[in-house]
Amino acid sequence: MGAGPHAPLSQKRNDMNHFLDIHKTDANDLRAMIDQAGAMKRARLGRPKAALDEAQPLKDRMVALIFEKPSTRTRVSFDVGVRQMGGQTMVLSGKDMQLGHGETIADTARVLSRYVDMIMIRTFDETILTEMAEYSDVPVINGLTDRTHPCQIMADVLTFEEHRGPIAGKKVVWTGDGNNVCASFLHAAGQFGFDLTFTGPAQFDPEEEFMGFARQKGSQIVVERDPFKAVEGADLVVADTWVSMHDSQSAKERRHNLLRPYQVNTELMSHAKPDALFMHCLPAHREEEATSEVMDGPNSVIFDEAENRLHAQKAVMRWCLGV
Ligand code: CP
Ligand code: NVA
Protein backbone atom coordinates (compact mmCIF):
# COMPACT_ATOMS: atom_id res chain seq x y z
CA MET A 1 0.00 0.00 0.00
CA GLY A 2 1.41 3.41 -0.93
CA ALA A 3 1.50 6.57 1.13
CA GLY A 4 -1.77 8.37 1.81
CA PRO A 5 -4.44 8.58 4.47
CA HIS A 6 -4.99 4.79 4.49
CA ALA A 7 -1.34 3.73 4.45
CA PRO A 8 -0.23 1.65 7.46
CA LEU A 9 1.37 3.89 10.06
CA SER A 10 3.71 1.27 11.51
CA GLN A 11 6.86 0.67 9.53
CA LYS A 12 9.76 -1.59 10.24
CA ARG A 13 12.93 0.45 10.60
CA ASN A 14 15.78 -0.84 8.51
CA ASP A 15 18.53 0.95 10.43
CA MET A 16 17.97 -1.05 13.63
CA ASN A 17 20.12 -3.87 15.02
CA HIS A 18 19.06 -6.85 17.11
CA PHE A 19 21.59 -7.90 19.76
CA LEU A 20 20.95 -11.64 19.77
CA ASP A 21 24.40 -13.13 20.25
CA ILE A 22 28.07 -12.18 20.23
CA HIS A 23 28.89 -14.39 17.22
CA LYS A 24 26.05 -12.79 15.24
CA THR A 25 27.38 -9.27 15.84
CA ASP A 26 30.16 -7.65 13.82
CA ALA A 27 33.49 -7.77 15.69
CA ASN A 28 34.21 -4.09 14.97
CA ASP A 29 30.80 -3.15 16.35
CA LEU A 30 31.46 -5.21 19.49
CA ARG A 31 34.79 -3.42 19.96
CA ALA A 32 33.12 -0.04 19.49
CA MET A 33 30.45 -0.93 22.07
CA ILE A 34 33.06 -1.89 24.69
CA ASP A 35 34.97 1.36 24.07
CA GLN A 36 31.80 3.45 24.23
CA ALA A 37 30.71 1.68 27.42
CA GLY A 38 34.04 2.56 29.06
CA ALA A 39 33.77 6.19 27.95
CA MET A 40 30.18 6.50 29.20
CA LYS A 41 31.19 4.96 32.52
CA ARG A 42 34.07 7.40 32.97
CA ALA A 43 31.81 10.33 32.08
CA ARG A 44 29.49 9.40 34.96
CA LEU A 45 32.17 8.96 37.63
CA GLY A 46 31.06 10.39 40.96
CA ARG A 47 27.56 11.30 39.74
CA PRO A 48 24.40 10.01 41.47
CA LYS A 49 22.90 6.87 39.96
CA ALA A 50 19.73 8.61 38.80
CA ALA A 51 21.50 11.56 37.17
CA LEU A 52 20.81 11.71 33.45
CA ASP A 53 23.70 11.27 31.02
CA GLU A 54 24.64 14.57 29.45
CA ALA A 55 23.54 13.39 26.01
CA GLN A 56 20.19 11.66 26.43
CA PRO A 57 20.28 9.21 23.53
CA LEU A 58 17.15 7.35 24.65
CA LYS A 59 15.06 10.48 25.25
CA ASP A 60 11.42 9.73 24.37
CA ARG A 61 12.16 6.00 23.93
CA MET A 62 10.17 3.27 25.67
CA VAL A 63 11.84 -0.08 26.36
CA ALA A 64 10.04 -3.30 27.35
CA LEU A 65 12.00 -5.64 29.63
CA ILE A 66 10.44 -9.13 29.56
CA PHE A 67 11.43 -11.76 32.11
CA GLU A 68 10.41 -15.40 31.82
CA LYS A 69 13.06 -16.32 34.45
CA PRO A 70 14.17 -14.61 37.67
CA SER A 71 16.76 -11.81 37.57
CA THR A 72 18.40 -9.21 39.77
CA ARG A 73 21.29 -7.77 37.72
CA THR A 74 19.75 -7.89 34.26
CA ARG A 75 16.51 -6.39 35.45
CA VAL A 76 18.00 -3.55 37.47
CA SER A 77 20.90 -2.73 35.14
CA PHE A 78 18.70 -2.46 32.05
CA ASP A 79 16.11 -0.42 33.90
CA VAL A 80 18.66 2.01 35.33
CA GLY A 81 20.59 2.18 32.04
CA VAL A 82 17.55 3.19 30.03
CA ARG A 83 16.62 5.85 32.59
CA GLN A 84 20.14 7.29 32.72
CA MET A 85 19.94 7.71 28.96
CA GLY A 86 16.65 9.59 29.26
CA GLY A 87 14.28 6.78 28.25
CA GLN A 88 11.52 4.92 30.04
CA THR A 89 11.02 1.23 30.80
CA MET A 90 8.29 -1.24 31.56
CA VAL A 91 9.25 -4.48 33.26
CA LEU A 92 7.00 -7.38 32.23
CA SER A 93 6.81 -10.86 33.67
CA GLY A 94 6.25 -13.51 30.99
CA LYS A 95 3.80 -15.42 33.16
CA ASP A 96 1.61 -12.34 33.62
CA MET A 97 1.50 -11.68 29.88
CA GLN A 98 -0.72 -13.49 27.35
CA LEU A 99 2.61 -14.84 26.08
CA GLY A 100 2.58 -17.18 29.07
CA HIS A 101 -0.99 -18.25 28.28
CA GLY A 102 -0.75 -19.33 24.66
CA GLU A 103 -0.43 -16.13 22.62
CA THR A 104 2.26 -16.73 20.01
CA ILE A 105 5.68 -15.12 20.16
CA ALA A 106 5.09 -13.69 16.68
CA ASP A 107 1.85 -11.96 17.69
CA THR A 108 3.41 -10.71 20.93
CA ALA A 109 6.34 -9.25 18.96
CA ARG A 110 4.06 -7.53 16.46
CA VAL A 111 1.87 -6.06 19.20
CA LEU A 112 4.73 -4.83 21.39
CA SER A 113 6.35 -3.20 18.36
CA ARG A 114 3.34 -0.87 18.18
CA TYR A 115 3.95 0.38 21.73
CA VAL A 116 7.67 0.31 22.47
CA ASP A 117 10.95 1.23 20.78
CA MET A 118 13.01 -1.77 21.93
CA ILE A 119 12.50 -5.17 23.60
CA MET A 120 14.86 -6.99 25.96
CA ILE A 121 13.83 -10.56 26.73
CA ARG A 122 15.13 -13.21 29.16
CA THR A 123 13.66 -16.54 28.18
CA PHE A 124 14.10 -20.30 27.89
CA ASP A 125 14.55 -21.80 24.42
CA GLU A 126 16.54 -19.57 22.07
CA THR A 127 13.92 -20.02 19.33
CA ILE A 128 11.66 -17.77 21.44
CA LEU A 129 14.28 -15.03 21.14
CA THR A 130 14.88 -15.53 17.43
CA GLU A 131 11.16 -15.62 16.66
CA MET A 132 10.66 -12.46 18.68
CA ALA A 133 13.36 -10.77 16.61
CA GLU A 134 11.95 -12.09 13.35
CA TYR A 135 8.51 -10.61 13.95
CA SER A 136 9.49 -7.49 15.87
CA ASP A 137 9.64 -4.12 14.13
CA VAL A 138 11.94 -2.85 16.89
CA PRO A 139 15.35 -4.08 18.15
CA VAL A 140 15.38 -7.19 20.35
CA ILE A 141 18.10 -7.85 22.93
CA ASN A 142 19.00 -11.26 24.39
CA GLY A 143 18.89 -10.99 28.19
CA LEU A 144 19.79 -14.72 28.57
CA THR A 145 18.40 -17.89 27.07
CA ASP A 146 19.08 -21.52 27.95
CA ARG A 147 21.93 -21.37 25.41
CA THR A 148 23.67 -18.00 25.66
CA HIS A 149 24.09 -14.81 27.75
CA PRO A 150 25.80 -12.23 25.52
CA CYS A 151 25.17 -9.11 27.65
CA GLN A 152 27.03 -10.73 30.54
CA ILE A 153 30.12 -11.34 28.46
CA MET A 154 30.13 -7.80 27.07
CA ALA A 155 30.34 -6.67 30.70
CA ASP A 156 33.04 -9.25 31.41
CA VAL A 157 35.22 -8.11 28.49
CA LEU A 158 34.86 -4.50 29.67
CA THR A 159 35.78 -5.58 33.21
CA PHE A 160 38.84 -7.56 32.14
CA GLU A 161 40.16 -4.70 30.03
CA GLU A 162 39.64 -2.13 32.81
CA HIS A 163 41.90 -4.21 35.05
CA ARG A 164 44.40 -5.77 32.68
CA GLY A 165 44.27 -3.99 29.29
CA PRO A 166 43.40 -5.65 25.96
CA ILE A 167 41.89 -9.13 26.30
CA ALA A 168 43.22 -10.18 22.86
CA GLY A 169 45.80 -12.95 23.23
CA LYS A 170 44.96 -13.68 26.88
CA LYS A 171 44.09 -17.08 28.36
CA VAL A 172 40.65 -17.49 29.95
CA VAL A 173 39.81 -20.67 31.87
CA TRP A 174 36.17 -21.67 32.26
CA THR A 175 35.55 -24.09 35.12
CA GLY A 176 32.63 -26.46 35.74
CA ASP A 177 29.54 -26.51 33.54
CA GLY A 178 29.89 -25.58 29.86
CA ASN A 179 26.61 -23.66 30.06
CA ASN A 180 24.96 -20.61 28.47
CA VAL A 181 27.45 -18.14 29.96
CA CYS A 182 30.36 -20.33 28.84
CA ALA A 183 28.87 -20.40 25.33
CA SER A 184 28.90 -16.60 25.09
CA PHE A 185 32.48 -16.57 26.44
CA LEU A 186 33.44 -18.89 23.56
CA HIS A 187 31.75 -16.57 21.07
CA ALA A 188 33.66 -13.66 22.61
CA ALA A 189 36.95 -15.60 22.38
CA GLY A 190 36.42 -15.73 18.61
CA GLN A 191 35.32 -12.13 18.25
CA PHE A 192 37.81 -10.48 20.62
CA GLY A 193 40.74 -12.82 19.85
CA PHE A 194 41.49 -14.56 23.15
CA ASP A 195 42.04 -18.23 24.02
CA LEU A 196 39.79 -20.30 26.26
CA THR A 197 40.38 -23.54 28.13
CA PHE A 198 37.35 -25.42 29.40
CA THR A 199 37.82 -27.62 32.43
CA GLY A 200 34.95 -29.77 33.67
CA PRO A 201 33.51 -33.27 33.40
CA ALA A 202 32.86 -34.59 29.88
CA GLN A 203 29.08 -34.59 30.52
CA PHE A 204 29.20 -30.80 30.75
CA ASP A 205 31.42 -29.95 27.79
CA PRO A 206 30.30 -26.87 25.84
CA GLU A 207 28.55 -27.64 22.56
CA GLU A 208 30.93 -28.28 19.64
CA GLU A 209 29.23 -25.48 17.72
CA PHE A 210 30.41 -22.86 20.23
CA MET A 211 33.98 -24.18 20.37
CA GLY A 212 34.01 -24.53 16.59
CA PHE A 213 33.07 -20.87 16.10
CA ALA A 214 35.98 -19.67 18.25
CA ARG A 215 38.46 -22.08 16.62
CA GLN A 216 37.43 -21.06 13.14
CA LYS A 217 38.13 -17.45 14.14
CA GLY A 218 41.66 -18.46 15.19
CA SER A 219 41.30 -18.82 18.97
CA GLN A 220 42.95 -21.71 20.78
CA ILE A 221 40.16 -23.64 22.47
CA VAL A 222 41.28 -26.48 24.76
CA VAL A 223 39.34 -29.04 26.80
CA GLU A 224 41.37 -30.17 29.84
CA ARG A 225 39.86 -32.49 32.46
CA ASP A 226 42.48 -31.69 35.10
CA PRO A 227 41.56 -28.31 36.62
CA PHE A 228 45.06 -27.72 37.98
CA LYS A 229 46.65 -28.22 34.55
CA ALA A 230 43.90 -26.15 32.96
CA VAL A 231 44.56 -23.00 34.99
CA GLU A 232 48.33 -22.97 34.35
CA GLY A 233 49.15 -19.62 32.73
CA ALA A 234 45.57 -18.37 33.08
CA ASP A 235 44.96 -14.60 32.99
CA LEU A 236 41.36 -15.09 34.05
CA VAL A 237 39.54 -17.93 35.84
CA VAL A 238 35.74 -18.02 35.57
CA ALA A 239 33.10 -19.97 37.50
CA ASP A 240 29.31 -20.13 37.28
CA THR A 241 26.58 -21.95 39.15
CA TRP A 242 26.55 -25.74 38.82
CA VAL A 243 22.77 -25.77 38.34
CA SER A 244 21.39 -23.17 35.92
CA MET A 245 17.82 -21.88 35.92
CA HIS A 246 16.92 -24.15 33.01
CA ASP A 247 18.43 -27.29 34.61
CA SER A 248 16.18 -29.78 36.36
CA GLN A 249 16.43 -29.49 40.15
CA SER A 250 16.20 -33.28 40.39
CA ALA A 251 19.67 -33.52 38.81
CA LYS A 252 21.18 -31.21 41.42
CA GLU A 253 22.91 -33.81 43.58
CA ARG A 254 24.39 -35.71 40.65
CA ARG A 255 25.65 -32.47 39.10
CA HIS A 256 27.23 -31.35 42.38
CA ASN A 257 29.04 -34.68 42.76
CA LEU A 258 30.45 -34.46 39.25
CA LEU A 259 31.38 -30.78 39.44
CA ARG A 260 32.86 -30.62 42.96
CA PRO A 261 36.46 -31.28 41.76
CA TYR A 262 36.20 -28.09 39.69
CA GLN A 263 35.49 -25.73 42.59
CA VAL A 264 37.54 -22.52 42.33
CA ASN A 265 39.37 -22.21 45.62
CA THR A 266 42.62 -20.63 46.77
CA GLU A 267 44.61 -23.75 45.94
CA LEU A 268 43.32 -23.83 42.36
CA MET A 269 43.91 -20.08 41.90
CA SER A 270 47.52 -20.54 43.13
CA HIS A 271 48.20 -22.57 39.96
CA ALA A 272 47.08 -19.71 37.68
CA LYS A 273 49.21 -16.62 36.95
CA PRO A 274 49.77 -14.67 40.21
CA ASP A 275 47.72 -11.74 38.85
CA ALA A 276 44.96 -13.92 37.35
CA LEU A 277 41.54 -12.34 37.80
CA PHE A 278 38.53 -14.28 39.07
CA MET A 279 35.07 -13.73 37.59
CA HIS A 280 31.57 -15.03 38.28
CA CYS A 281 28.46 -13.58 36.63
CA LEU A 282 26.47 -14.05 39.87
CA PRO A 283 24.24 -15.18 41.50
CA ALA A 284 26.75 -17.51 43.18
CA HIS A 285 26.38 -20.42 45.54
CA ARG A 286 29.23 -19.62 47.86
CA GLU A 287 31.41 -22.59 48.87
CA GLU A 288 30.04 -24.61 45.94
CA GLU A 289 31.43 -23.48 42.57
CA ALA A 290 33.76 -20.98 44.28
CA THR A 291 34.85 -20.27 47.84
CA SER A 292 34.24 -16.96 49.58
CA GLU A 293 37.99 -16.72 50.04
CA VAL A 294 38.36 -16.44 46.25
CA MET A 295 35.15 -14.47 45.64
CA ASP A 296 36.11 -11.83 48.21
CA GLY A 297 39.85 -12.10 47.55
CA PRO A 298 42.17 -9.52 45.96
CA ASN A 299 41.93 -10.96 42.42
CA SER A 300 38.14 -11.14 42.33
CA VAL A 301 36.31 -8.60 40.15
CA ILE A 302 32.79 -10.00 40.57
CA PHE A 303 31.16 -6.74 41.64
CA ASP A 304 32.88 -4.76 38.88
CA GLU A 305 31.34 -7.30 36.48
CA ALA A 306 27.93 -6.67 38.00
CA GLU A 307 28.36 -2.90 37.72
CA ASN A 308 29.60 -3.17 34.15
CA ARG A 309 26.37 -4.85 33.07
CA LEU A 310 24.94 -1.35 33.31
CA HIS A 311 27.62 0.38 31.23
CA ALA A 312 28.02 -2.36 28.62
CA GLN A 313 24.28 -2.66 28.02
CA LYS A 314 23.91 1.08 27.61
CA ALA A 315 26.32 0.84 24.68
CA VAL A 316 24.48 -2.23 23.36
CA MET A 317 21.16 -0.35 23.47
CA ARG A 318 22.63 2.67 21.65
CA TRP A 319 23.99 0.37 18.95
CA CYS A 320 20.60 -1.34 18.61
CA LEU A 321 18.83 1.96 18.09
CA GLY A 322 21.64 3.64 16.17
CA VAL A 323 21.69 6.58 18.59
N1 CP B 1 24.29 -12.37 35.91
C1 CP B 1 22.97 -12.22 35.72
O1 CP B 1 22.46 -12.22 34.59
O2 CP B 1 22.27 -12.02 36.87
P1 CP B 1 20.69 -11.98 37.05
O3 CP B 1 20.20 -13.40 36.86
O4 CP B 1 20.50 -11.50 38.45
O5 CP B 1 20.10 -11.07 36.03
N1 NVA C 1 24.04 -20.09 34.06
C1 NVA C 1 23.17 -19.31 34.88
C2 NVA C 1 23.45 -17.85 34.70
C3 NVA C 1 22.60 -16.94 35.53
C4 NVA C 1 22.84 -15.48 35.29
C5 NVA C 1 21.72 -19.64 34.56
O1 NVA C 1 21.36 -19.73 33.40
O2 NVA C 1 20.96 -19.84 35.52
Side-chain angles (χ1 to χ4, degrees):
M1 203 187 294
H6 304 296
L9 292 174
S10 171
Q11 281 176 2
K12 191 165 186 144
R13 299 175 37 179
N14 50 22
D15 59 341
M16 67 173 192
N17 291 304
H18 297 301
F19 187 72
L20 301 182
D21 268 315
I22 287 177
H23 70 302
K24 292 180 180 169
T25 307
D26 180 83
N28 292 324
D29 287 0
L30 293 168
R31 180 76 259 161
M33 285 184 242
I34 297 292
D35 294 344
Q36 184 178 50
M40 289 177 81
K41 178 177 181 177
R42 287 188 294 278
R44 288 194 63 84
L45 271 177
R47 302 187 67 205
K49 305 288 190 292
L52 290 170
D53 287 345
E54 202 170 313
Q56 290 177 41
L58 262 62
K59 190 170 185 305
D60 298 332
R61 307 291 180 126
M62 177 62 78
V63 184
L65 308 174
I66 305 174
F67 290 91
E68 297 201 274
K69 290 176 181 170
S71 169
T72 297
R73 280 143 289 266
T74 305
R75 180 184 166 130
V76 178
S77 58
F78 266 104
D79 200 339
V80 171
V82 172
R83 292 179 200 218
Q84 287 182 348
M85 293 195 290
Q88 297 184 54
T89 58
M90 57 182 62
V91 181
L92 303 162
S93 152
K95 68 178 185 323
D96 296 333
M97 298 170 70
Q98 300 293 8
L99 178 65
H101 300 272
E103 184 165 23
T104 66
I105 310 294
D107 286 349
T108 304
R110 288 183 281 219
V111 169
L112 287 180
S113 300
R114 302 294 178 106
Y115 301 133
V116 305
D117 299 292
M118 186 155 53
I119 300 167
M120 189 290 309
I121 180 165
R122 164 168 288 193
T123 189
F124 295 93
D125 197 287
E126 74 172 358
T127 58
I128 299 171
L129 171 80
T130 50
E131 200 176 330
M132 184 72 84
E134 186 180 346
Y135 290 96
S136 171
D137 291 344
V138 300
V140 173
I141 297 175
N142 178 357
L144 179 145
T145 69
D146 295 355
R147 268 189 115 208
T148 59
H149 195 4
C151 290
Q152 180 65 52
I153 306 311
M154 292 298 281
D156 292 354
V157 170
L158 175 62
T159 306
F160 184 90
E161 296 199 336
E162 279 179 349
H163 286 270
R164 296 286 183 265
I167 196 167
K170 299 292 186 192
K171 176 178 174 179
V172 174
V173 177
W174 180 276
T175 62
D177 181 17
N179 63 16
N180 46 2
V181 182
C182 177
S184 287
F185 241 121
L186 283 161
H187 287 152
Q191 297 289 55
F192 288 96
F194 58 86
D195 299 328
L196 190 146
T197 295
F198 169 82
T199 186
Q203 292 90 328
F204 302 119
D205 278 353
E207 286 178 41
E208 277 299 332
E209 181 190 319
F210 302 130
M211 295 196 280
F213 171 81
R215 284 186 182 126
Q216 161 253 315
K217 288 278 183 180
S219 300
Q220 200 184 333
I221 304 300
V222 174
V223 174
E224 169 57 64
R225 300 285 167 230
D226 179 342
F228 291 94
K229 273 196 198 147
V231 300
E232 277 170 21
D235 297 287
L236 168 65
V237 178
V238 193
D240 188 14
T241 179
W242 289 340
V243 185
S244 282
M245 291 182 274
H246 59 270
D247 289 322
S248 151
Q249 283 300 316
S250 62
K252 187 174 166 182
E253 199 180 320
R254 187 182 69 87
R255 295 177 71 92
H256 276 219
N257 289 337
L258 288 165
L259 288 158
R260 201 160 286 123
Y262 297 92
Q263 181 192 67
V264 181
N265 49 40
T266 304
E267 198 199 341
L268 186 65
M269 284 302 286
S270 74
H271 286 73
K273 278 189 182 166
D275 68 345
L277 295 176
F278 171 73
M279 285 193 190
H280 190 309
C281 67
L282 305 177
H285 299 78
R286 285 172 178 259
E287 313 311 330
E288 291 180 8
E289 66 269 15
T291 59
S292 285
E293 202 175 5
V294 169
M295 292 181 65
D296 301 328
N299 292 5
S300 171
V301 289
I302 57 176
F303 298 112
D304 290 341
E305 283 180 87
E307 174 181 345
N308 283 339
R309 293 293 303 276
L310 169 67
H311 308 295
Q313 288 157 192
K314 285 170 72 176
V316 168
M317 289 190 277
R318 292 185 69 167
W319 174 80
C320 285
L321 289 167
V323 292

